Amino acid sequence: MTLPEGPEPKREKTLRPLPPGSGDRLDFVASGWRPWFLLILLCLTFYLPGMTTLPPVDRDEARYIQATRQMLESHDYLNIRFQDTARNQKPAAIYWLQSVAVSLVSSPEATSVWPYRSVSVLGAIVAVLGLFAAGSRLFDRRTGLVAAAFLASALVMVMEAHFATTDAVLLALVVLAQGLLARAYIGHRRGESFGFGAATGFWVLQGASILVKGPMLPALSALTVIVLVILDRRAAWLKSLRVLWGLLIVAAIVLPWLYLMQKATNGAFLHASIGTDFLGKIDSGQQSHGAPPGYYLLGSQVTLWPATLFEGLAILWAWRNRRLPATRLALAWLLPFWIVLECVRTKLPHYILPVYPAAALLTARALLAYAEEGFHPRSRAWIVVPAVIWSVVGLAIAGAALFLAVHFDWNAGSCLGASLALAGLLATVWQFWRQHRAQHHIGSALLAVAGAALLVVPCFGMVLPSIAPIWVSREAKALVDVTRKPGEKVGLVGYDEPSLVFLLGTDTPALEPDPAARDLGSGKVAMVLVEQRRAQEFLQAATTSHVSLHPLGSVSGFDYSNGHQTTLTLYRTDIKP
């Protein structure tokens, strides 16, 4: 039964006219082709530094890129494997996309990571542009432009654009699908049609997202729809989505792939992906990633930075205007999924990324309302407290970059980059408090995004790639390359991080000390890299097997995957004339 249509909520009244010229300037920037060009340029500014110079990052990224390489090497695009271990936790689409990128610009034998990461960069750019389009329809082009800039510069977005994993691509699908959902919802109220092609596109995106990261997007869209129907007490707009037709599309996309995956893995895929990975994250904190509720709320001060400068305004404006259809849609996108994630036991910072576009929309709209339409909080605490937190977080991140550079590796590149980041943040914070005195306007948004660029560009472009001790795998490969001959295999004892497997090759075995000594003596491996904690066992095994050893050098550093200092020593057998 269709509930009767209720009256449209009234819009908030404008209390004072726009400041002279401010609206005109933003309207000019947000018109025509300009916002598209500026947003692409902004994305490239944030995402390109470090893309080619950062080594493979353990452990998720390294596992993804190594599994993609093995797909290309074996020409088997269904069995997802890391060396001899099946990786059935996640669907295959991200590996397919990375395979296409590598095939176009590189080769499986190459150790360059940027071709794999290019998929994430493209996904992040599509997400930003998609949010501009969605925000323009929900609110106006100016709101869409500011929201897209906030999303592009969010620290978690910058991180995911630099990693060859699923999250940036998933976000692109989320923004496009939720944008179509918003078009159906708002269009019904405005008397606009939502055609067959748009409905088909919505369901194609749902099916494609399942191939990228399982049911994340369908769950998000379902929660959004359920909350909207409950709050509105009407569901007539859902007819335009053509749900039955949509379910057939999703089934046509997912079921053939699922059948082939089950067949290729002898039924192991569903058990691993749903039974072990998905349900395991709900029930327990997997891989020591458990955290209590409130984790994402606290973490958003970092992951959503620099848009957190305006979070007080966003919360207050969204509450006052919660009955507006566009605001209600954004809140239905944002809050239910956020609450669910807070209740799930396994938590990682990037899990919350699919709802950040909605947060960016509300933040942008609140800022424009405050700067141009007379919306004001009754207490300045709504402005001052977030501004203080924003300042502290930004300076803390820049200070941490300088600490890392000095503590781990005092070199010109890392220290200069960290100093530039800290100086840029200090200038940004000082400029904000001196000029604006915690009074927000359009210039504040530009200042916040510029401050993020001053932090991100030197940190990713100069600091992180230059701190050699945190890139143990990169340094170990450089040591191996000094004496390694073509075709020689290197065994690993006590250190088998996925990044080193990617850098040394798929056939790099992880061995126990006894087999490593025997394989070295028999020539199955030409060299062995031994971690210091297993060195005594290896040396004793070599003595027992009558294998004489010749150390070629060692590298030391910090294994950030487990938090341990580590030293790797490279051995050959003695070379006799």
Side-chain angles (χ1 to χ4, degrees):
M1 182 178 73
T2 302
L3 296 173
E5 298 282 339
E8 284 288 333
K10 293 182 179 179
R11 293 183 177 273
E12 186 178 84
K13 294 181 179 179
T14 300
L15 301 180
R16 60 182 174 84
L18 297 178
S22 64
D24 292 341
R25 288 192 296 270
L26 187 57
D27 281 335
F28 175 78
V29 173
S31 62
W33 55 268
R34 297 180 190 88
W36 304 98
F37 173 78
L38 291 175
L39 288 173
I40 292 174
L41 184 62
L42 182 67
C43 289
L44 296 178
T45 300
F46 277 101
Y47 307 152
L48 289 188
M51 183 184 178
T52 60
T53 55
L54 278 177
V57 177
D58 286 309
R59 292 182 172 117
D60 277 356
E61 180 187 52
R63 287 171 176 157
Y64 274 106
I65 60 180
Q66 176 59 31
T68 298
R69 167 195 273 174
Q70 290 181 219
M71 274 190 173
L72 290 166
E73 290 174 339
S74 65
H75 303 289
D76 183 349
Y77 296 94
L78 289 176
N79 279 296
I80 307 167
R81 308 190 72 81
F82 179 86
Q83 292 188 302
D84 295 328
T85 302
R87 277 182 58 81
N88 292 324
Q89 295 90 344
K90 296 292 188 294
I94 191 66
Y95 305 101
W96 297 340
L97 293 172
Q98 290 178 1
S99 296
V100 171
V102 173
S103 298
L104 289 174
V105 298
S106 184
S107 67
E109 297 78 21
T111 57
S112 298
V113 191
W114 72 265
Y116 301 85
R117 290 174 175 161
S118 64
V119 176
S120 294
V121 172
L122 181 60
I125 293 174
V126 170
V128 170
L129 298 179
L131 185 61
F132 168 65
S136 299
R137 179 171 290 273
L138 270 176
F139 295 101
D140 53 64
R141 286 175 69 91
R142 299 185 310 155
T143 301
L145 176 59
V146 176
F150 285 157
L151 181 64
S153 58
L155 289 187
V156 68
M157 184 71 161
V158 176
M159 293 290 291
E160 293 308 320
H162 278 86
F163 296 155
T165 55
T166 59
D167 296 281
V169 173
L170 175 67
L171 186 66
L173 299 173
V174 166
V175 172
L176 295 176
Q178 292 291 95
L180 288 173
L181 184 66
R183 178 178 165 187
Y185 177 71
I186 298 296
H188 178 77
R189 290 171 170 267
R190 296 173 180 170
E192 301 171 354
S193 63
F194 187 75
F196 179 80
T200 300
F202 173 80
W203 292 105
V204 168
L205 291 167
Q206 298 289 333
S209 75
I210 295 175
L211 299 188
V212 171
K213 203 170 182 177
M216 292 286 287
L217 175 53
L220 173 60
S221 296
L223 280 173
T224 305
V225 168
I226 290 170
V227 170
L228 288 174
V229 170
I230 291 174
L231 293 179
D232 291 347
R233 291 179 293 178
R234 56 186 177 185
W237 64 277
L238 290 178
K239 292 180 180 179
S240 61
L241 289 177
R242 298 169 172 83
V243 175
L244 292 179
W245 167 244
L247 294 177
L248 289 174
I249 293 175
V250 173
I253 294 172
V254 174
L255 291 182
W257 159 78
L258 190 58
Y259 168 76
L260 293 174
M261 287 296 295
Q262 282 292 92
K263 184 178 179 180
T265 60
N266 294 318
F269 177 77
L270 280 179
H271 178 268
S273 61
I274 297 179
T276 302
D277 187 66
F278 182 71
L279 295 179
K281 287 177 179 176
I282 295 175
D283 184 60
S284 62
Q286 285 188 351
Q287 302 172 0
S288 303
H289 295 314
Y295 170 88
Y296 291 113
L297 182 62
L298 182 62
S300 65
Q301 301 305 311
V302 177
T303 55
L304 192 53
W305 192 93
T308 50
L309 177 59
F310 313 103
E311 66 182 354
L313 291 178
I315 294 170
L316 187 59
W317 185 89
W319 173 253
R320 290 186 185 178
N321 296 273
R322 62 191 181 276
R323 298 185 185 279
L324 294 177
T327 308
R328 179 168 288 184
L329 184 283
L331 289 173
W333 178 350
L334 173 66
L335 294 180
F337 196 74
W338 190 313
I339 293 170
V340 169
L341 290 182
E342 293 283 17
C343 295
V344 172
R345 296 284 296 276
T346 301
K347 294 181 174 69
L348 284 171
H350 60 271
Y351 286 179
I352 198 69
L353 184 57
V355 302
Y356 275 0
L361 284 172
L362 292 174
T363 303
R365 185 64 222 138
L367 172 62
L368 291 170
Y370 175 85
E372 300 179 346
E373 298 172 10
F375 159 70
H376 283 283
R378 293 186 178 88
S379 170
R380 282 181 53 78
W382 291 97
I383 299 175
V384 175
V385 172
V388 171
I389 296 173
W390 170 82
S391 303
V392 170
V393 168
L395 292 174
I397 296 171
L402 183 59
F403 171 79
L404 290 174
V406 173
H407 177 72
F408 282 111
D409 191 16
W410 185 285
N411 67 72
S414 61
C415 290
L416 176 60
S419 299
L420 290 174
L422 183 58
L425 258 294
L426 283 170
T428 301
V429 171
W430 178 81
Q431 178 70 8
F432 173 78
W433 289 100
R434 182 191 72 85
Q435 179 175 335
H436 304 301
R437 295 182 178 86
Q439 293 292 330
H440 295 321
H441 51 70
I442 303 305
S444 303
L446 181 61
L447 190 66
V449 174
L454 291 172
L455 175 66
V456 165
V457 172
C459 283
F460 278 90
M462 300 174 66
V463 180
L464 290 176
S466 301
I467 304 178
I470 66 173
W471 305 116
V472 178
S473 295
R474 182 183 68 181
E475 301 306 305
K477 180 184 184 298
L479 176 63
V480 168
D481 286 347
V482 173
T483 58
R484 188 183 191 182
K485 298 175 183 177
E488 288 187 333
K489 291 173 61 174
V490 181
L492 306 177
V493 176
Y495 182 90
D496 56 353
E497 293 293 353
S499 59
L500 189 53
V501 174
F502 176 79
L503 292 173
L504 294 182
T506 301
D507 59 351
T508 303
L511 303 168
E512 288 297 309
D514 285 344
R518 291 195 299 269
D519 287 356
L520 186 61
S522 66
K524 288 184 179 180
V525 296
M527 294 177 280
V528 177
L529 271 168
V530 183
E531 206 277 330
Q532 61 182 355
R533 292 174 180 81
R534 309 298 302 275
Q536 190 60 40
E537 297 175 68
F538 174 74
L539 294 174
Q540 184 175 350
T543 301
T544 302
S545 300
H546 306 289
V547 177
S548 56
L549 298 176
H550 179 65
L552 300 176
S554 62
V555 295
S556 298
F558 178 73
D559 186 355
Y560 52 82
S561 296
N562 57 31
H564 295 154
Q565 292 289 333
T566 187
T567 297
L568 303 180
T569 302
L570 181 65
Y571 292 95
R572 273 189 185 270
T573 58
D574 279 334
I575 303 174
K576 298 179 180 180

